[in-house]
Structures are given as structure tokens and as C-alpha cells.
Amino acid sequence: MRPPLSLRPLLLCLVTLAPACATRGGSVRDLGLRETEHRYAKPEGCREVAPGDRIEDTVRDAPEGSALCLAPGEHRGPLHVTKRITVWGPREARITSTGTGTTVEVRAPGTRLVGFTVDGSGGRYVTDDAAIKVHSDDVTVEG
């Protein structure tokens, strides 16, 4: 019996990677693949943002080109980025919104969103709700 067409690429991937894992001790690092626990470097000279602060106000008051570093915990959104900044945080830092609409919206080229978690976007797909919605070029979203 042959597997369904939709599963063939996955099976091919597993068959290809299994021997490499077995001969190298099973490490993703040994295969040269990107690890899921990758730590992103904290930007130098960043302004610390405490949990509980409304992130929208902090971003609005930040100068163009600045870096904001989110401390672990909940940061209330939604967030609308209209100038070039970097928002960095560990995975434990979360920008959350009310569960309707978009949580983070970017309208500034050169913006960087790195490392943190985004939660609370709406589920109205006919209105394009999203966790992160980007309306500009040269925007980095990692993590």
C-alpha cells in the first residue's frame, strides 16, 4: 500500500534525515539545521520595558531608530509601529491583545521584531485579523 500523495514529502524528509541523525547522535546541530531554542542577541543600549506597561505608549514615545527590550511577562497590546525601531524580548515576554483584531501592526520600514511571543489576535479571517501584520518593506520578524 502506498502512502497518500500529501504524506510523501514528509516521509521522504524523514527517510533522508533518519540516517544522518543515527550516525551523528541525533543532534539537530550536527545536521547543520537551525535549532528551535536559538537565542537572539539583546540589542545594545536598549530601553527596558517592564511587564504590565502598555507597549503602544512606550513605542509611541520612543525615538526613531531606538531599541526596546521587553522583560519577561505580559505586555498589553495591541501595538501599532509607525517608526523604525527594534522591539526585542525573550520568548517569555508576550505582547497580548483583547482577542479581536490584529495584535502587532507594522507600518515602518526597517522595523525589527525579535524573540518575543505574540498572543491574542482575533479569528475573523474575513477581516484579516493577524498576530503580526506587516504593511512595509524591510521588516524583520524573528523568534
Side-chain angles (χ1 to χ4, degrees):
M1 180 173 169
R2 297 183 72 163
L5 286 175
S6 61
L7 292 178
R8 287 183 187 167
L10 175 62
L11 292 174
L12 178 62
C13 179
L14 291 174
V15 169
T16 304
L17 292 177
C21 287
T23 60
R24 296 195 173 206
S27 172
V28 171
R29 182 175 317 172
D30 291 338
L31 293 174
L33 300 175
R34 186 171 166 184
E35 294 185 56
T36 57
E37 291 296 318
H38 179 75
R39 302 288 181 207
Y40 298 99
K42 184 176 184 177
E44 290 185 29
C46 66
R47 177 179 167 203
E48 297 290 330
V49 181
D53 290 351
R54 186 165 148 72
I55 190 72
E56 180 85 9
D57 298 336
T58 307
V59 168
R60 185 188 62 237
D61 297 340
E64 177 94 15
S66 63
L68 303 174
C69 291
L70 305 178
E74 185 174 328
H75 300 267
R76 294 174 302 193
L79 171 61
H80 302 277
V81 180
T82 58
K83 58 183 136 185
R84 181 182 51 87
I85 62 167
T86 296
V87 180
W88 176 92
R91 178 179 293 169
E92 298 80 19
R94 290 183 334 277
I95 296 180
T96 61
S97 65
T98 61
T100 60
T102 294
T103 304
V104 178
E105 190 165 4
V106 179
R107 293 187 177 271
T111 296
R112 297 185 69 233
L113 307 175
V114 183
F116 56 89
T117 301
V118 178
D119 192 21
S121 62
R124 298 175 302 163
Y125 305 109
V126 294
T127 58
D128 292 327
D129 288 354
I132 300 173
K133 189 183 292 186
V134 177
H135 298 276
S136 190
D137 294 328
D138 191 31
V139 172
T140 301
V141 178
E142 295 180 307

